[in-house]
Amino acid sequence: MFNKLESVLMPIADKLGKNRVLIAIRDGFLITTPLLIVGSIFLLIANFPIPGWEDMMTSVFGENWGTWFTNVSRATFNMTGLLTCVGTGYAFARELKGDKIQGAVVSLVAFVILTNTRIGSIPGVSLLKGSDAAENGIDGLAFRYIGADGIFMGLVCALISVLIFTWVYKKGWTIKMPKGVPPAVCDSFAALIPSAFVMTIFFLVRILFGLTSFGTAHQFVLEILQIPLKGLGDTLAANAIYSFACTFLWFFGINGPAVANSVYFIGNVLTIEQQVAFEAGKALPHIFTNPFSNFFCNFGGGGSTLSLVIVMLGFCKSQRIKQLGKLSIVPGIFGINEPIIFGLPIVLNPIIAIPFILVPMMNLVLSYLATLWEIIPRTTGVNLPWTTPIGFSGWLSTGSPIAAIWQIFLLVLGCLVYFPFIKALDKQYLKEELEAEDEDDEDISFDDLDLSDL
């Protein structure tokens, strides 16, 4: 049965893993991730979850010390759509074997062409009556469209603009300079006609959307694509499917998150919205953010295998399992569990497959209910590195020590679920080790050797 499943799943996972569009989207988000993590650190310092922290900082640095840090975090969170557009354009141009820098730049230009640059004309924005701004508007890019609400628009602009640019370029519709001209100049003129195609097409698209009830392409993508997908992604069912897909693919030796994250990237949008709301001091709108998935569903990596490693160290007798547990405990604390997945192994191991899939699902449901019933607070959207150890991650991602205690509770619960399954495997491995020792200890007898036969 496992062979049949593997023969079906491997080609699908391989196609998803090699799809150039999905790779570009995934890598586009990864390019922005370092900036978001650093921005989160500044936001965390401005809102550090220790009683008296704000008063202490105010006494040292003055009343407005918090704006120093929020200016940095705002430069990342409030421009996520723009950053994602540039990153995806770069990654998609790389996948299409085109000019990566030109791909990033042309994506940015296409995005801005479709974006309102007169803030006074943006629906929902009111300016003081009689002011120059109210009469003439303000030139600029509103955070509303270049932040979290602009992520999907950024992806669409990046993919379409780079596809057009690369297609025109590879057709040979370029200006070719004579020999001897510096390469930088040649590249600049070679990009002129492809860039003109992209800009003209997006210019026409802007005009067409201006004739519709949506008014702008941004509003169309937001209402038709992003809002429905956000509503779907912020549900227990969608996240349960995501969790199952990640662990189920790992069972066959396929990096589950690497495949699933290429398709399910709505968590990035929800996380950014959570960050912006937290920074503004508003009610946190979402439960299912990336920190929630990283720090309350899986401890020690996919399958929440830190619980498994603890049981291996504390309750197993097989030398194979105990030695592997010793090697895996430190990486497991920091969320790395490849030694367990391939060393135990978990891959194609039907005994461990059940808790490996069940424990993250249990953590997901219980953490969702705990958040819903306000036992633990919602995550603030602060992007901590996924290697942040248990306890610290729960506290820093929510601002509450109760969340750290909840993580420990789930870790212990995971140990109880893993216990009977790893003990069954331990019994099997111990039997094999004892049989191997018996074979090695067999003495060679010379009783039957008769020298007279020589």
Side-chain angles (χ1 to χ4, degrees), residues 38-254:
V38 175
S40 293
I41 293 172
F42 278 85
L43 181 60
L44 188 61
I45 294 172
N47 300 273
F48 204 69
I50 293 179
W53 171 262
E54 186 175 350
D55 294 337
M56 184 199 72
M57 294 292 284
T58 300
S59 66
V60 176
F61 299 107
E63 290 291 336
N64 297 320
W65 70 272
T67 58
W68 304 343
F69 294 90
T70 54
N71 283 338
V72 177
S73 59
R74 197 172 290 127
T76 53
F77 306 152
N78 291 5
M79 294 202 303
T80 315
L82 202 63
L83 295 172
T84 301
C85 177
V86 173
T88 304
Y90 180 94
F92 195 39
R94 179 199 64 204
E95 293 301 312
L96 296 180
K97 309 300 181 186
D99 190 314
K100 297 184 287 292
I101 298 300
Q102 287 292 345
V105 172
V106 79
S107 299
L108 174 62
V109 171
F111 183 86
V112 175
I113 288 174
L114 297 183
T115 305
N116 245 322
T117 54
R118 184 59 60 88
I119 296 177
S121 62
I122 293 178
V125 176
S126 59
L127 298 169
L128 185 64
K129 290 184 179 180
S131 66
D132 182 66
E135 294 178 2
N136 302 313
I138 301 173
D139 292 330
L141 295 173
F143 282 145
R144 176 183 179 185
Y145 287 141
I146 66 174
D149 284 347
I151 288 178
F152 275 79
M153 192 67 213
L155 294 175
V156 171
C157 287
L159 296 174
I160 294 177
S161 61
V162 170
L163 194 63
I164 295 170
F165 181 93
T166 307
W167 182 79
V168 174
Y169 193 94
K170 289 183 177 180
K171 282 287 185 181
W173 300 346
T174 60
I175 297 175
K176 297 175 176 61
M177 303 298 289
K179 293 181 179 180
V181 177
V185 177
C186 292
D187 293 341
S188 177
F189 276 90
L192 196 153
I193 293 178
S195 298
F197 266 84
V198 172
M199 295 169 70
T200 302
I201 290 172
F202 277 82
F203 163 73
L204 295 174
V205 169
R206 173 163 184 151
I207 291 175
L208 290 174
F209 274 104
L211 301 176
T212 68
S213 59
F214 294 101
T216 64
H218 276 274
Q219 200 64 27
F220 172 80
V221 171
L222 191 63
E223 293 183 19
I224 301 300
L225 185 61
Q226 183 157 326
I227 291 176
L229 284 176
K230 279 195 305 183
L232 178 64
D234 198 21
T235 62
L236 180 60
N239 284 270
I241 293 170
Y242 169 78
S243 176
F244 175 79
C246 289
T247 48
F248 189 66
L249 289 171
W250 264 128
F251 174 70
F252 292 94
I254 303 166

Side-chain angles (χ1 to χ4, degrees), residues 43 47 70 73-74 77-78 80 143 147-149 230 268-287 289 378-382:
L43 181 60
N47 300 273
T70 54
S73 59
R74 197 172 290 127
F77 306 152
N78 291 5
T80 315
F143 282 145
D149 284 347
K230 279 195 305 183
N268 295 289
V269 180
L270 301 177
T271 303
I272 297 300
E273 288 192 352
Q274 196 89 325
Q275 289 172 328
V276 173
F278 174 67
E279 186 181 39
K282 298 179 181 178
L284 301 178
H286 306 299
I287 292 178
T289 62
R378 300 188 179 205
T379 57
T380 59
V382 170

Side-chain angles (χ1 to χ4, degrees), residues 319-330:
Q319 287 302 310
R320 172 179 173 180
I321 290 180
K322 288 184 76 69
Q323 290 299 325
L324 182 60
K326 292 176 183 178
L327 292 171
S328 303
I329 185 64
V330 174

